Amino acid sequence: MTTNESAGTESPRLNPFAFPSDTTFRFFLLIVAIIGVSLFLYNWLYFSFADNQSDLNRELACLEEQMAAYQTAVSLDDIDAANERFGDCRAAINRPKGTFMLGGVGVLLATALALFLLTPVWKLRRGRLTDLPEEDAPEVTAELRSLVSEAGLEREPRFVWNPLNPGSSGLAFGHVGRHYVALSGGLVTQFFTDRPGFRAVVLHELAHLRNRDVSKTYFTVALWHAFVLVGVVPFLVSLVDDGWDTIFD
């Protein structure tokens, strides 16, 4: 068999881009991990500020009531009733802790949502970004519309820029229904000096919108910041009265 014949019968190589991205799954795992750790922190906080001695006395009272019921039980129904009363007794003790923990997670998610919704405002102000005026750069805005169509976006994002930023960069941010693509002044200048480079940067940012990565990314970042604010900081404050052994453990 010749080399050409061998090459002609070669199996086609797998296309790695044919498989779906696992970015969403990674974000999901990170969110689940943060919520799981938050439950631990709020459980710790509950015991740090609750009346633990009172809860212990109530637990002992529940146990004594169950033992007394066992001693007077004459049938399996009596034992089942005693176990049910013991479960109800302990549930009444644990219910405030569960409410506190779930409430903490609710505050965490609400804080994350607030940070997520405020992120575009913060980025616009911090980056001193304003709308890209069509009358000043009609060729650029026409090219941007063409790139939006080329990227296959159903809705055009709001293009903003900072003309005083000499760098050559772009950034997609925002959330569902309000997406932005920020362009630096240097990138707009690059449109006239290096059209392919300009197209590559803009298409890269539009690809993030096409793949729906922007909202997932910024919500995950907002959740992490909220976790530090309403989870880690109160937890560290609760350790002030604990010994070094507890802190290191």
Side-chain angles (χ1 to χ4, degrees):
M1 182 179 291
T2 64
T3 302
N4 291 338
E5 289 175 343
S6 176
T9 58
E10 243 179 47
S11 300
R13 297 180 60 187
L14 288 175
N15 178 11
F17 299 104
F19 299 98
S21 170
D22 57 355
T23 301
T24 301
F25 183 64
R26 290 174 178 171
F27 284 142
F28 176 75
L29 285 180
L30 180 58
I31 291 173
V32 170
I34 290 176
I35 293 177
V37 175
S38 299
L39 288 171
F40 166 79
L41 296 184
Y42 293 127
N43 180 64
W44 179 285
L45 289 172
Y46 178 83
F47 284 114
S48 297
F49 301 108
D51 188 352
N52 297 319
Q53 186 60 49
S54 175
D55 289 343
L56 178 60
N57 292 336
R58 293 173 64 189
E59 288 269 5
L60 292 175
C62 293
L63 184 59
E64 291 174 357
E65 180 184 357
Q66 185 186 40
M67 292 297 101
Y70 282 166
Q71 292 176 359
T72 59
V74 295
S75 67
L76 290 177
D77 290 338
D78 293 338
I79 295 178
D80 290 340
N83 290 335
E84 185 175 352
R85 287 195 301 271
F86 178 73
D88 293 340
C89 185
R90 294 196 72 248
I93 300 172
N94 292 327
R95 192 173 295 113
K97 180 178 72 172
T99 302
F100 181 87
M101 293 170 62
L102 293 178
V105 173
V107 171
L108 170 69
L109 295 177
T111 304
L113 180 60
L115 294 176
F116 171 67
L117 296 176
L118 290 174
T119 294
V121 177
W122 178 76
K123 284 193 169 293
L124 289 171
R125 291 184 178 180
R126 183 172 180 267
R128 298 178 181 178
L129 299 170
T130 59
D131 290 324
L132 182 64
E134 184 173 0
E135 60 274 10
D136 292 346
E139 295 180 359
V140 177
T141 54
E143 179 68 13
L144 291 175
R145 291 195 185 96
S146 174
L147 293 176
V148 169
S149 176
E150 184 177 336
L153 295 178
E154 297 179 357
R155 183 173 182 178
E156 181 178 325
R158 177 179 168 186
F159 288 98
V160 293
W161 74 323
N162 181 353
L164 302 180
N165 183 354
S168 182
S169 62
L171 178 67
F173 62 94
H175 48 76
V176 176
R178 186 176 294 181
H179 285 130
Y180 301 83
V181 174
L183 310 176
S184 64
L187 181 62
V188 174
T189 302
Q190 189 177 352
F191 169 81
F192 302 99
T193 60
D194 180 13
R195 187 74 59 87
F198 173 85
R199 286 174 51 86
V201 173
V202 175
L203 283 174
H204 176 84
E205 300 306 321
L206 294 178
H208 286 306
L209 299 180
R210 172 69 183 272
N211 296 332
R212 298 181 176 86
D213 293 336
V214 174
S215 295
K216 290 180 287 188
T217 301
Y218 280 101
F219 180 76
T220 305
V221 172
L223 183 63
W224 166 249
H225 291 163
F227 171 70
V228 173
L229 289 174
V230 302
V232 175
V233 172
F235 172 71
L236 293 177
V237 172
S238 72
L239 294 177
V240 172
D241 295 334
D242 289 290
W244 285 106
D245 292 338
T246 300
I247 294 174
F248 283 127
D249 288 341

